[in-house]
Amino acid sequence: MSDKKENQYSGQLSAGTGGQEGRAAGDTVSGSLGQDKSWLDQKLATEKNFDVVTRVIEVGGREAALYFIDGFCKDDLLQKLLQYFMDMKAEDMPQDASALLKKSIPYIEVDQEKEWEKIVSNVLSGVFALLIDGYREAVLIDARTYPARGVEEPEKDKVLRGSKDGFVETVVFNTALIRRRIRDTDLRMEMMSAGKSSKTDIVLCYMDSRVDRDFLEKIKRKIQDIRVDSLTMNQESLAECLVPGRWWNPFPKFKYTERPDTAAAQVLEGNVILLVDNSPSAMILPTTIFDVVEEADDYYFPPVTGTYLRITRFLISLLTYLLTPTFLLLMHNPQWIPEGFSFIMLQEQPNIPLVWQFLILELAIDGLRLAAVNTPNMLSTPLSVMAALVLGEFSVNSGWFSPEVMLYMAFVAIANYTQANYELGYALKFMRIITLVLTALLGVWGYGAGILLAGVCMCCNKTLSHRSYLYPLIPLNWRKLKSRLIRRRLPGARQE
C-alpha cells in the first residue's frame, strides 16, 4: 500500500476528531486561490511554523500555491515538478484537476481531494498539496521521504543463524519487509489511525483466508473506539488502549518482535500483526504463554537442535522462578535435604535473614541493569569490572550477603536473558518475589500459595480472543501441545 493511499485512509478516520475548525471555514476547496490560500495559511500557521513551506507559482497561466513540510520532501523530484509546471502553457492547461492528473503530471502517486480535513492531514503527513486558481480540488503529490535509519539486525532479537534485517521506525518500510517474505495476493495490509492530535498510523497485517474474522473485526472496533489525544509511547500506548483493565496481572498479553521473519511466520499461522508508525517492532495477536517463549532460533536449526533449545528455554524459565524460593524453603527446613545434597547448606550463619538478602539483591540487579542502559560505552568496561569487584567479592567478605545467595541470584540474573521477552522476565520476577515473601512468612504453605498464585495469574490472563492463555495445555489439545514443545519438520517435507 502506498503512503498516499495510507494517509487518505488515515485522514478519513481522523475526520470528526479534529475538523471542527475546518467545517467552520468551509468543508471543501472553493476554487478561489486567494480565499483558499488564506484559509490554509491560517490553518497551518505558515508564518509561525518555519518548516511549513508555501510557494506561489504560475501553472499554465494560472496562479497556484504549493504546500509541503520541509524535511519530508525529495528536493530533486520537487525541482523537476516545479520546472514542469512552470513550463506549461495556457492552451495546454486542463479545465479541472481530474484532467490535469491524467494528462499533465508525469508522476505515479498523485491524487485529487476537495475536503479540507483530508488535505490538511495529507500535508502534515508529508504529501505535497497544489492549489490552482479555478480548480475546486487540490492536487496531492506523494513525493515525500521519511528520515529513517538503515535496516539492521535488532539488538534485542538477535539469532545465531538467519536473516539479519529488522524493523525500523517507518511503517511503510516495515510493511515492505513483510511483503518481501510473503508474495501472496491473500496478504492484507489495512491502514487505520488513532489519536486525536497524533493521528498515528496503525497497520493491520493478516492473511485473508487464514485469519479469524470475528477476532479481526473485534480488533478493528477496538482501534476505532480509541479516544486518546495521542499514542505517546507508540505500541505500549496502543496496548493499554486495547486492554484497559487487568493491569494487576504482570504476564504479557502481547508478544513483540523486531524481526520481519518472525512477524511473517505469525501472519502465515493466521495471527494478526499490528505495526505502529514510529515503532521498530510488531505486535502479535493473539498471544499465549507458548507464543511468548518461542524464538526464531528454534526454527533456524534442525528439528532436534530446535527442540533442545526450546525445551531448555522452558526449563530455565521455570528454574529462574523456583530456584531462590526453593532454596529458602530448604534452609528453613534442613531436615528435608537429602544427605547427598548437604553441600547446599549455608557454611556460615548469615548476618542478615536470607529473605532480606534475596529481596535486596532483586532490587540491586534491576539497579545495575538500569545503570548499564545509561552508562556511556567508553565507561561500560571499567564500571563493569568495578561493579563485579565491589558488589561481588567485597559484599560477601563484608558479611552483607552469603556466597550461596550471591551464586543463586547471579544465575537468576543471567538466566533471565535466555528468553527475549522482557515482560515475561519481569512477570517471573514479581511472582518470585511474592513466593519468597510468602515462603518466609508461612513456610511450605506459603511456598505452595506462591506457586498457586502464579498459576492463577496465568490462567486468568485471557488473550484478546478470549482463548486460554495456557492453550493448548488448558484446555488440552495434545496434537498442538506436542507441536509447541517439539520442533517438527517443515510441513510438506517428505523423506526420500
Side-chain angles (χ1 to χ4, degrees):
M1 182 181 292
S2 66
D3 288 5
K4 166 179 66 63
K5 294 180 180 178
E6 291 175 358
N7 284 278
Q8 289 173 349
Y9 190 66
S10 174
Q12 294 172 6
L13 290 170
S14 61
T17 60
Q20 299 297 330
E21 297 179 8
R23 279 188 280 274
D27 283 338
T28 61
V29 178
S30 67
S32 172
L33 183 63
Q35 180 180 345
D36 294 337
K37 185 176 183 301
S38 176
W39 185 90
L40 196 55
D41 284 342
Q42 182 180 3
K43 185 70 175 178
L44 297 176
T46 56
E47 294 184 357
K48 296 182 179 179
N49 293 321
F50 77 94
D51 59 337
V52 180
V53 181
T54 177
R55 173 75 186 276
V56 178
I57 60 176
E58 186 174 300
V59 180
R62 300 190 183 195
E63 192 175 14
L66 182 69
Y67 288 85
F68 61 93
I69 302 294
D70 192 15
F72 285 160
C73 67
K74 300 177 182 177
D75 294 338
D76 52 347
L77 180 58
L78 181 59
Q79 181 179 358
K80 293 179 180 179
L81 288 174
L82 285 175
Q83 182 178 359
Y84 183 83
F85 287 142
M86 292 178 179
D87 290 341
M88 291 181 64
K89 299 180 180 179
E91 56 269 21
D92 298 331
M93 191 67 179
Q95 295 301 314
D96 54 34
S98 179
L100 182 67
L101 264 61
K102 293 179 181 178
K103 300 180 180 180
S104 305
I105 299 183
Y107 191 68
I108 301 297
E109 295 184 89
V110 294
D111 204 352
Q112 58 194 51
E113 184 57 63
K114 61 182 179 180
E115 296 184 13
W116 279 121
E117 285 192 31
K118 297 178 182 178
I119 295 172
V120 171
S121 177
N122 275 276
V123 171
L124 294 177
S125 298
V127 178
F128 303 157
L130 179 65
L131 299 175
I132 301 178
D133 191 29
Y135 284 14
R136 300 183 65 88
E137 291 181 322
V139 176
L140 301 178
I141 306 172
D142 190 354
R144 59 186 162 174
T145 182
Y146 282 132
R149 60 184 173 91
V151 175
E152 56 189 12
E153 184 179 20
E155 286 291 330
K156 188 173 72 71
D157 287 347
K158 288 185 176 181
V159 292
L160 299 175
R161 179 187 296 171
S163 59
K164 304 299 181 182
D165 55 351
F167 288 132
V168 295
E169 286 74 13
T170 306
V171 69
V172 178
F173 292 174
N174 295 339
T175 57
L177 289 171
I178 296 179
R179 284 279 184 189
R180 184 182 180 186
R181 289 168 167 82
I182 306 177
R183 301 175 183 179
D184 195 324
T185 57
D186 203 34
L187 180 61
R188 301 288 183 267
M189 300 278 189
E190 290 193 33
M191 175 66 70
M192 303 186 73
S193 178
K196 180 180 178 181
S197 296
S198 63
K199 297 182 177 62
T200 305
D201 291 329
I202 302 170
V203 175
L204 280 78
C205 178
Y206 60 91
M207 298 296 287
D208 192 50
S209 62
R210 307 182 189 185
V211 72
D212 184 340
R213 308 300 304 185
D214 294 335
F215 176 66
L216 178 63
E217 293 302 323
K218 179 181 178 180
I219 294 299
K220 289 182 180 180
R221 287 195 302 270
K222 282 182 171 290
I223 295 176
Q224 291 171 350
D225 292 340
I226 291 177
R227 296 291 181 267
V228 295
D229 186 63
S230 66
L231 299 182
T232 310
M233 295 293 104
N234 300 324
Q235 288 182 330
E236 178 58 29
S237 300
L238 178 60
E240 293 177 7
C241 292
L242 293 177
V243 187
R246 304 176 187 170
W247 57 268
W248 53 269
N249 196 325
F251 284 94
K253 300 167 181 62
F254 305 93
K255 180 179 180 180
Y256 301 93
T257 180
E258 297 184 27
R259 299 190 59 83
D261 51 0
T262 301
Q266 294 292 330
V267 169
L268 292 173
E269 290 181 7
N271 293 331
V272 178
I273 301 297
L274 295 183
L275 299 171
V276 182
D277 197 20
N278 299 313
S279 177
S281 59
M283 295 174 61
I284 301 173
L285 303 173
T287 300
T288 67
I289 187 65
F290 294 95
D291 294 318
V292 173
V293 297
E294 278 189 346
E295 289 189 13
D297 268 331
D298 298 348
Y299 298 94
Y300 276 121
F301 287 95
V304 173
T305 307
T307 300
Y308 168 77
L309 293 175
R310 182 177 299 179
I311 294 178
T312 300
R313 194 178 304 113
F314 270 107
L315 294 178
I316 291 180
S317 297
L318 184 63
L319 193 58
T320 58
Y321 166 58
L322 293 176
L323 180 62
T324 54
T326 303
F327 176 76
L328 180 63
L329 178 65
L330 292 177
M331 293 303 100
H332 287 177
N333 301 274
Q335 67 276 12
W336 294 350
I337 302 176
E339 185 177 351
F341 288 90
S342 59
F343 62 88
I344 69 172
M345 290 292 298
L346 293 176
Q347 301 300 320
E348 299 178 1
Q349 187 67 22
N351 299 322
I352 299 177
L354 289 181
V355 64
W356 284 108
Q357 292 189 38
F358 281 124
L359 294 178
I360 292 173
L361 287 175
E362 290 279 7
L363 183 64
I365 288 173
D366 278 332
L368 291 175
R369 184 181 300 176
L370 294 175
V373 171
N374 297 310
T375 301
N377 291 333
M378 64 182 68
L379 300 177
S380 59
T381 300
L383 288 180
S384 297
V385 175
M386 191 174 183
L389 292 175
V390 175
L391 298 180
E393 183 178 359
F394 295 160
S395 61
V396 173
N397 294 336
S398 63
W400 273 92
F401 301 106
S402 301
E404 294 83 359
V405 172
M406 293 291 291
L407 171 65
Y408 297 138
M409 285 305 302
F411 170 81
V412 169
I414 297 174
N416 274 330
Y417 293 102
T418 57
Q419 49 87 24
N421 190 283
Y422 290 145
E423 290 82 2
L424 180 59
Y426 276 107
L428 294 176
K429 181 186 185 72
F430 298 148
M431 293 295 105
R432 182 171 62 248
I433 291 175
I434 293 174
T435 306
L436 278 170
V437 174
L438 290 176
T439 302
L441 295 176
L442 304 176
V444 66
W445 294 104
Y447 181 81
I451 295 177
L452 180 62
L453 177 62
V456 169
C457 287
M458 285 191 287
C459 292
C460 295
N461 194 30
K462 298 292 185 181
T463 63
L464 284 180
S465 61
H466 294 291
R467 174 179 287 180
S468 170
Y469 192 62
L470 297 177
Y471 180 82
L473 179 62
I474 301 176
L476 181 62
N477 186 327
W478 174 246
R479 184 178 62 85
K480 291 189 176 181
L481 178 61
K482 185 170 64 173
S483 67
R484 290 290 193 177
L485 298 177
I486 301 175
R487 155 82 159 88
R488 298 184 299 176
R489 292 182 303 164
L490 184 69
R494 293 290 183 269
Q495 291 182 343
E496 296 182 358

